Amino acid sequence: MTLNGLAVDAPVYLDFAHDWLDPDTRSLLVQERHEFEAVLGAPVVFTEPPIACTRWVAERTSRGEAPSLAWDPDGATLRSRARDPDGLMATFSLLQTLAHTSGACVYASTAQTVDQAVERIRSECLNSYPSFDLRGLDRAAFCAGALDDRPGDWADFLPWATRWVAQLGDAHTAVMDHGATRFHPPYTAELHDVGAILICVPEGSSAYAVGVRPGWVVRIADPDHWLSTVGASPQQHRRMAARSAMAVAGKQRTFVAEDPRGTRSTRWIESAAPPAAEDLVTVRRNSAGDVQIVLRAFDPVAGIESVIDDVAASATVTDHMVLDLRGNVGGDIMLAGRLRDRFLRTRTLLGSAAFTDGRGGLSGPRPRWAEPSVRGRWPGTLTVVVDASTYSAAEDFLVGLKGLDHVTVVGERTGGGSGRPRTIPLGPHCSLRISTAITYDRSGHPVEFHGIQPDRRPTRV
């Protein structure tokens, strides 16, 4: 099943002017074209279109008009209307919506009423969330939640909707509050009734400076609130809940922590400032002479590509690298892919991905391949250290490397999510972010929900 009047298996040509898409965005769309193909039931191509073909075009709108996506069967044209490139990206998120609605045009606009927003969540999850079966969830039971205690006004909508969607247990799928600008301090912790039990306290952090160490307990008001409003796979749920509970809203926040015995407490202040590049990536040599790189996020500002290139420039096949991805919850998927390619030796089957079709179904898995980087490669062996917080783009980096002869993965099972989320407007200052894909390793095991199983537990890193 596809859009009414769209020829199955006939190519759909993306016919966008160059000023609509920068090179990085175009590369991302080419890489993730299978998501479009799952909905359209036809190949999506980016070459110059012939005179007679099915096209996806972009048209500019005036100020105040919401981005929209429309299908014209008579003209064989899928039409994105937006004011700027950001609006164009919003129309891409409308493709699954267009597939399961009866109209010929859908808009990236907020719902007019709470009931409409509730129905939007129900409809989008029912038709385009791919992981009900994988996670052992009952679709009907989840959708029935829309009928239970639904709020009567916008003031109560956000907390209610957040709890409802969190039942999916997926950190990529959530109701987002646009009014809450949050900074995440550089700590890994698990949230329990007593508070957030710290697992990692980086040297140089504000907490480390006042003597706080792993095992200390950070006081958190109402842990149950965070545990019920944060969705995540079982192995990472308490960590993601702790991450949200410890976020800094506003300019700064004072934290209080106690030692494991409860005999000493201290406090410190975290300021809401983006981390510096040196906080995101660090390089050193261990006692064995191995290169140790700690990468806390796949953030382009960290300059990690240059770091890897510099380290690799003088390396030989006898050298060993330890790449620490513990606590790395992801970031830029294209950056993750470019870094992964620096550790490939030949053209490599990474695994596969299946995408939602927007109508409650899932496409067949499509193979994912990658080529070794032409910019530079690490010639030696690699150990990647992971934990349950390793997630999203960090798992995309890892899934193609695990199983290669020169790569060893140690640590804990990863978080289980590389779900290619899309964003749908809901009400005032909030939206629904929803996964669209299930990624599999080359053996066919799903990364989604289950995570990536390490080769062994670490001894000492």
Side-chain angles (χ1 to χ4, degrees):
M1 185 178 181
T2 184
L3 300 180
N4 181 39
L6 191 151
V8 178
D9 295 330
V12 176
Y13 289 83
L14 261 70
D15 189 11
F16 297 160
H18 290 292
D19 58 343
W20 276 109
L21 297 174
D22 60 64
D24 287 344
T25 302
R26 180 173 288 271
S27 296
L28 175 63
L29 295 179
V30 172
Q31 176 179 297
E32 301 300 324
R33 67 191 182 280
H34 297 319
E35 179 178 352
F36 297 150
E37 293 174 345
V39 180
L40 296 172
V44 174
V45 294
F46 294 78
T47 58
E48 187 72 23
I51 295 175
C53 66
T54 302
R55 299 168 184 259
W56 190 341
V57 302
E59 298 176 350
R60 295 195 184 274
T61 63
S62 59
R63 181 187 297 271
E65 183 177 342
S68 64
L69 182 66
W71 166 241
D72 173 15
D74 295 331
T77 302
L78 191 62
R79 186 171 284 107
S80 287
R81 288 179 53 80
R83 187 176 174 219
D84 51 34
D86 287 341
L88 179 64
M89 295 300 290
T91 71
F92 295 150
S93 287
L94 294 173
L95 184 59
Q96 289 88 345
T97 305
L98 184 64
H100 66 249
T101 55
S102 57
C105 182
V106 290
Y107 293 86
S109 56
T110 58
Q112 297 301 305
T113 67
V114 169
D115 283 349
Q116 288 178 359
V118 172
E119 173 55 25
R120 191 170 292 184
I121 295 174
R122 188 202 67 81
S123 178
E124 293 293 346
C125 290
L126 180 64
N127 287 287
S128 65
Y129 181 65
S131 300
F132 279 101
D133 294 339
L134 180 66
R135 294 173 183 266
L137 299 172
D138 187 320
R139 290 171 183 260
F142 173 80
C143 292
L147 305 175
D148 298 336
D149 303 321
R150 72 166 58 192
D153 54 44
W154 288 116
D156 297 325
F157 171 76
L158 186 60
W160 176 88
T162 301
R163 285 186 173 84
W164 180 30
V165 175
Q167 294 174 27
L168 294 173
D170 181 352
H172 275 134
T173 302
V175 174
M176 311 301 296
D177 180 2
H178 299 166
T181 301
R182 295 179 178 275
F183 162 72
H184 295 283
Y187 312 109
T188 302
E190 285 192 349
L191 189 60
H192 295 268
D193 291 343
V194 296
I197 301 176
L198 290 165
I199 297 171
C200 176
V201 183
E203 293 184 25
S205 65
S206 299
Y208 193 93
V210 297
V212 175
R213 298 294 184 267
W216 283 54
V217 181
V218 180
R219 295 177 187 172
I220 300 293
D222 194 8
D224 287 343
H225 163 77
W226 299 104
L227 290 168
S228 64
T229 56
V230 174
S233 300
Q235 66 269 27
Q236 68 164 187
H237 181 223
R238 292 188 180 276
R239 297 194 187 189
M240 296 302 281
R243 187 171 187 267
S244 293
M246 293 180 65
V248 178
K251 293 184 178 180
Q252 62 183 32
R253 176 178 173 180
T254 300
F255 289 89
V256 178
E258 298 177 346
D259 69 10
R261 296 183 179 182
T263 57
R264 186 162 66 96
S265 67
T266 190
R267 65 181 57 226
W268 75 95
I269 294 175
E270 294 284 347
S271 298
E278 58 267 24
D279 296 325
L280 294 172
V281 56
T282 58
V283 182
R284 66 182 180 88
R285 294 268 181 180
N286 65 14
S287 58
D290 300 331
V291 178
Q292 284 194 307
I293 298 179
V294 178
L295 180 58
R296 295 186 174 87
F298 285 91
D299 189 332
V301 304
I304 181 63
E305 290 185 89
S306 296
V307 170
I308 297 292
D309 291 344
D310 290 345
V311 170
S314 59
T316 69
V317 294
T318 61
D319 285 320
H320 183 68
M321 179 187 293
V322 178
L323 180 61
D324 191 344
L325 297 183
R326 288 174 295 184
N328 187 322
V329 297
D332 188 316
I333 188 174
M334 297 300 289
L335 172 60
R338 293 194 300 270
L339 291 176
R340 174 205 59 223
D341 295 348
R342 284 167 165 79
F343 297 96
L344 298 181
R345 304 281 170 82
T346 61
R347 185 171 189 261
T348 302
L349 176 64
L350 307 176
S352 61
F355 293 90
T356 176
D357 65 5
R359 307 169 190 85
L362 194 65
S363 72
R366 301 290 294 270
R368 300 173 62 218
W369 291 84
E371 302 282 350
S373 174
V374 297
R375 176 171 164 177
R377 304 177 200 171
W378 173 252
T381 53
L382 172 69
T383 294
V384 186
V385 189
V386 298
D387 65 7
S389 300
T390 306
Y391 188 67
S392 194
E395 291 175 294
D396 273 296
F397 168 86
L398 184 64
V399 69
L401 297 179
K402 184 179 184 296
L404 301 183
D405 290 342
H406 61 287
V407 178
T408 303
V409 180
V410 302
E412 303 171 339
R413 183 161 53 110
T414 62
S418 52
R420 309 303 195 273
R422 52 193 276 261
T423 301
I424 301 297
L426 290 177
H429 309 298
C430 65
S431 59
L432 173 67
R433 188 182 64 197
I434 183 168
S435 295
T436 62
I438 298 176
T439 301
Y440 304 87
D441 65 20
R442 65 175 62 87
S443 299
H445 300 297
V447 174
E448 224 66 33
F449 183 60
H450 295 288
I452 298 171
Q453 191 70 35
D455 299 309
R456 59 178 173 82
R457 301 282 295 183
T459 50
R460 184 179 179 184
V461 178

